[in-house]
Amino acid sequence: MLSLVIPTYNEAESLPILLPRLQEALRGIPHEVIIVDDDSPDGTWHKAEEMQSFYPTLRVIRRRGERGLSSAVVAGFKAAR
């Protein structure tokens, strides 16, 4: 299975564009998409959670009190199936 880790911060507006494109690109490939959000003020984590009903391979990690690209990627790797 392919695990795609996507660290985010203030990307709520990007998710409705990104997720359909990923779904199309990964069609036929067993995969999971893991959004790792650093508690974005724009509610990126919340938007991602709302979209889980449309994208069953989507998982969301909301990190509170932690910041940083590399640590977000590591958190996503640790959560990967």
Side-chain angles (χ1 to χ4, degrees):
M1 174 188 299
L2 171 69
S3 297
L4 181 60
V5 176
I6 304 173
T8 60
Y9 189 77
N10 286 337
E11 294 292 342
E13 291 182 15
S14 300
L15 293 179
I17 299 166
L18 175 66
L19 293 176
R21 290 179 179 179
L22 285 176
Q23 184 177 25
E24 180 63 29
L26 297 173
R27 186 181 312 269
I29 299 170
H31 69 278
E32 63 182 345
V33 176
I34 304 169
I35 300 287
V36 183
D37 186 73
D38 285 351
D39 203 20
S40 295
D42 76 346
T44 299
W45 60 271
H46 182 64
K47 181 68 174 178
E49 285 180 345
E50 290 177 341
M51 297 180 79
Q52 284 179 306
S53 60
F54 298 104
Y55 302 97
T57 62
L58 177 62
R59 298 172 58 207
V60 180
I61 299 171
R62 178 185 182 189
R63 300 190 327 150
R64 296 181 185 161
E66 292 183 77
R67 296 271 190 259
L69 178 61
S70 61
S71 63
V73 171
V74 170
F77 287 166
K78 287 181 179 178
R81 294 186 181 133

